[in-house]
Every structure is written in structure tokens, then in C-alpha cells.
Amino acid sequence: VIDTRKGIGSTAAAFIVISSGGSVGQYGPLVHFGSTIGLFLKKYFTLRMHPDILIGCGVAAAISAGFNAPLAGVIFAHEAILRHFSLRAIAPIFIASISASAFDEYFFGTAGNMFELSQAVPPLNDILPIFIFLGPIFAITAVIFMYSLRSASIFAAKSGHYKPLLPFIAAFTCGSVGIFLPEILGLGVETINELISGNISYGKVSLLLIAKITMTALCIGFGLFGGVFSPALFIGVSVGSLTAAILYNFGISGAEQVVIISGMAAVGASVIGAPIASVLIV
């Protein structure tokens, strides 16, 4: 059960952490806030809809507005929140998702793609063997990321009376690393586009990959509120960039950006457990 007061508080906390440069994502808090608004409407207005449907509407609207992807919002609400496809819920969730995207575009002018892909996609039969090989690599990367999140949380839970100090330790450590690698701070959308374009050296990409996994695990595990989807996209793009470089050294070229984008989709889908929605978002 979601407490509306705690939902507003967690949203405010996420706003402070993200705007301060914490290595966390915004879409987890955004989904939480959408769920909170859905339950707020159920609590204070006479609505005949089931609370799960209202939560689904709020979540779909959040994803739709955040990514300018209304269809992905509908799928995500069913796939990750309701955990089943409901004919009773599809109409209100679809209306909420479309409305959120339309209002977002009208008031804030955020239409367009968040990620920039300029490379033509090669024929599927040419690249399918590559991705059968790369799939386990992306999966292992996602497992390492999720394991690091869990390990940091377990460590924090066992810290005893030092636990109130952990958020300050995470903030100080992340800020210190960010002095040398500022790309890991915040959401990292600009860095993701730089990685897709191949404008960052592969040695630095390796450092960014390790630092992003470590700092996100530290921030989330030590109590700084935020999401994991944006960091998962960053990590997926980084490992995709490295694998594209390895393939290029073996004489396989012409699909570098496709490999990078696929890494982003694969790691993101594995982390949030919503593969169809992740494909539509990316």
C-alpha cells in the first residue's frame, strides 16, 4: 500500500538528490509519484475504479510524459505494475498515457527523441548472430549491476548505529568521484548521446562503466532516494560501446550504434523486469 504523504516526501527527496547530481535515476521516483497521485484521486474522490487501475494510470502517465512514449507507458503499467494485461484497465490507462504525453508536449515542448541514433540499421540476418553472442554479455552486466545494488543495501542494513551517516558518505564519495568523472553525475542523458555517437574514448568508457555501477550502488544502497532505470541505460550504453569497439577490431563494422542501443535496451529491460516496455521506450 502506498502512503500518499510518504509518496510526496520521497518525490521531494528524489528531486533534491537528482538536481544535486546524485548518480541515480528519475524514472523510479516518477513512477512512484504517479502511483501516489492515482491513490490520492481514489482516496479523495468518488471513483468506481479499482485502486490498481488508478495506480496503473498514474504510472503510465509518468512513463509517457518522461519518455514521450505513450504506448510504452501503457505496456509498462500492465507489464511491471499490474503484472497482467487487463481489458478492464486498458481504456483508462491508455487515456491517461496519451493525455500525459499530449499535455507534456503542449506545455513543455518536449516532443522528439531523447536519444540520438543516426546510423542505418543493417538487415536482421546480418546482425542476428552478433546479438545471440552479445545477449549473455549484456545479461551478465545487468546481473553485476543488480548484485552491486543488493550488496550495498545489505551492507547498509548491517551498519547499526552508523546508518544515519551513510547518505552523507554516499554523497561525499559520489561528489568526489564526480570531480574526475563528471559524466556519472545526474541522469547522464548528454553522456549517453555522446557514447552513442562514439565521441568518448574507449579507455574512458571503461572507467565510466565501473564508476557508474559503483556510485549508483553506493547512492541507492546508502539511502539516497532515486531510481535505477536511467543508470541502467547508461551502463547498457557503456557496455554496448565497448562491445562495439571489440567487434570493430575483429572487422565487424557498420552496426556500432545498433549494438550500443541494443545494450541499452537489454540492460534496462533486465533491471526493471519489463522487456516489452523497454524495447518500446528505447
Side-chain angles (χ1 to χ4, degrees), residues 42 47-57 74 77-78 82 84-96:
K42 178 65 176 178
L47 300 174
R48 299 177 61 182
M49 284 188 288
H50 193 275
D52 288 349
I53 297 178
L54 289 171
I55 291 175
C57 289
V74 175
H78 284 84
L82 300 180
H84 67 282
F85 287 89
S86 169
L87 292 177
R88 183 180 60 177
I90 186 69
I93 290 176
F94 198 91
I95 292 171

Side-chain angles (χ1 to χ4, degrees), residues 130-213:
I130 297 174
F131 289 108
I132 292 175
F133 170 75
L134 293 182
I137 296 176
F138 297 147
I140 291 171
T141 304
V143 169
I144 292 173
F145 177 47
M146 290 185 284
Y147 181 79
S148 66
L149 291 170
R150 181 176 297 178
S151 299
S153 298
I154 293 174
F155 178 84
K158 296 179 179 179
S159 58
H161 58 278
Y162 293 105
K163 192 172 184 179
L165 299 176
L166 295 183
F168 299 98
I169 295 174
F172 177 79
T173 305
C174 186
S176 300
V177 174
I179 294 174
F180 304 99
L181 294 171
E183 294 88 351
I184 69 165
L185 300 178
L187 302 178
V189 175
E190 297 83 3
T191 305
I192 288 176
N193 283 318
E194 290 292 317
L195 288 167
I196 293 174
S197 301
N199 296 332
I200 300 178
S201 65
Y202 297 115
K204 189 173 183 179
V205 172
S206 301
L207 291 176
L208 291 177
L209 175 61
I210 296 171
K212 191 66 174 180
I213 292 176

Side-chain angles (χ1 to χ4, degrees), residues 254-272:
E256 290 82 4
Q257 287 191 353
V258 180
V259 171
I260 293 172
I261 290 290
S262 298
M264 175 166 58
V267 175
S270 299
V271 169
I272 67 172

Side-chain angles (χ1 to χ4, degrees), residues 113-126:
N113 295 326
M114 181 181 297
F115 309 117
E116 300 170 4
L117 177 63
S118 59
Q119 190 175 53
V121 180
L124 180 61
N125 60 326
D126 292 344

